[in-house]
Amino acid sequence: SDGSRCSWSPPAGCFECCIKCLGGVPYASLVATILCFSGVALFCGCGHVALTGTLTMLENHFSQITTDHATLTIVIQTMQYVIYGIASFFFVYGIILLAEGFYTTSAVKKELQSQFKTTVCGRCITATFVFLTYILGLAFLGIFGFSAIPVFLFYNMWTTCAAMKSPMANITDPDSICVDVRQYGIIPWNATPGKACGSTLGDICSTSEFYLSFHLYIVACAGAGATLIALIHYLMILSANWAYLRSSCNQNEYQDIKTKDDDVEEGGSKEGLNSSYS
């Protein structure tokens, strides 16, 4: 047609569908999943590299005989395998909880709209996730506390080196300042040399292994804390979802009983009317 212009506008049904889909997204579970994945990635990735750097530093400066730290090597390797398992498990568990969040959000909305009723199996699954998340939260609380131990040890060593280098320290005999890692139970007492003093300690603090491991332990501890917060967030979400489902179930049972009572009363009134006319 002359002078007319073609303009395209999205159909109203598409816009309403997008709004409906966005309304069904469990944003709380999504935030918790992102926080959980980020925390686990930081804890596992940084913890794995930090453990390797710690073993290298001990082998080069504190325990130069392999047999002295053979047990420590096995422990560190075992911890690294455990880190692989934690990363894999939480990747799967986070996806499952996110899917459960999608299911519960849609189930509650549809039940409120009386489109269908939740089943006992669905409520049991949610209760199981509440219990499992609670156990995992307690476990990661312990992991968070355990991950703070190497941060404390490296911090003590770093502050000792900083005190030696400080011009305000006025240290007359630097060799009298030592760090003995044997007292922490990391290596046995017969390990050679087992401790570092004076300039040797300062050189250790200047190595890349020490600097990188120290900061990676800090990040790993922060990642464990983020994962713990995510699990607490998950626990609150699952508890709220279970309460909603349980409340909806009780409401539906009440409505069913009320409907049956109304039907019985209506049937009795009809029978009374029929008998009066007969």
Side-chain angles (χ1 to χ4, degrees):
S1 59
D2 44 355
S4 63
R5 294 183 178 178
C6 258
S7 61
W8 180 86
S9 60
C14 180
F15 179 75
E16 293 176 358
C17 181
C18 291
I19 295 299
K20 186 177 180 181
C21 290
L22 291 175
V25 175
Y27 293 102
S29 296
L30 185 62
V31 171
T33 302
I34 295 174
L35 183 61
C36 181
F37 283 173
S38 302
V40 170
L42 289 176
F43 171 74
C44 294
C46 295
H48 185 279
V49 179
L51 287 172
T52 303
T54 302
L55 183 60
T56 301
M57 187 179 67
L58 289 173
E59 289 176 345
N60 294 336
H61 304 286
F62 293 99
S63 180
Q64 298 176 354
I65 301 176
T66 307
T67 54
D68 290 342
H69 58 269
T71 303
L72 178 64
T73 303
I74 296 174
V75 171
I76 288 180
Q77 291 176 350
T78 303
M79 293 175 64
Q80 289 177 334
Y81 285 122
V82 171
I83 285 176
Y84 296 147
I86 291 175
S88 303
F89 173 80
F90 272 92
F91 177 76
V92 177
Y93 191 67
I95 293 177
I96 292 175
L97 288 185
L98 182 61
E100 199 273 343
F102 273 100
Y103 161 75
T104 307
T105 301
S106 60
V108 170
K109 288 187 176 182
K110 290 182 179 179
E111 183 156 338
L112 291 176
Q113 298 170 1
S114 299
Q115 294 186 12
F116 75 101
K117 299 178 182 178
T118 57
T119 61
V120 177
C121 180
R123 295 192 298 272
C124 289
I125 291 175
T126 303
T128 302
F129 282 133
V130 170
F131 175 76
L132 184 58
T133 304
Y134 179 77
I135 298 300
L136 290 174
L138 292 179
F140 240 91
L141 180 61
I143 293 175
F144 176 67
F146 180 77
S147 63
I149 295 176
V151 176
F152 173 74
L153 299 181
F154 272 79
Y155 177 76
N156 283 342
M157 192 171 177
W158 177 77
T159 53
T160 304
C161 293
M164 287 195 307
K165 296 178 181 179
S166 175
M168 305 296 295
N170 194 18
I171 299 174
T172 57
D173 187 11
D175 292 334
S176 62
I177 300 177
C178 303
V179 170
D180 193 345
V181 297
R182 294 174 297 184
Q183 63 182 342
Y184 300 118
I186 300 175
I187 55 178
W189 282 103
N190 58 356
T192 305
K195 64 179 181 178
C197 303
S199 59
T200 304
L201 179 60
D203 293 339
I204 294 174
C205 293
S206 301
T207 59
S208 59
E209 290 87 2
F210 175 83
Y211 183 83
L212 183 62
S213 298
F214 180 33
H215 290 83
L216 286 179
Y217 276 126
I218 295 175
V219 177
C221 184
T227 306
L228 179 61
I229 294 174
L231 289 172
I232 295 174
H233 198 176
Y234 272 133
L235 187 61
M236 292 188 295
I237 295 167
L238 291 169
S239 300
N241 289 340
W242 185 86
Y244 288 145
L245 293 176
R246 183 62 182 171
S247 176
S248 299
C249 176
N250 293 335
Q251 185 177 1
N252 287 330
E253 291 176 355
Y254 170 75
Q255 289 177 352
D256 291 341
I257 295 174
K258 186 178 180 181
T259 303
K260 291 179 181 179
D261 291 341
D262 292 341
D263 292 340
V264 171
E265 291 178 0
E266 185 178 354
S269 61
K270 287 183 178 180
E271 290 178 0
L273 289 175
N274 292 335
S275 62
S276 62
Y277 283 113
S278 60

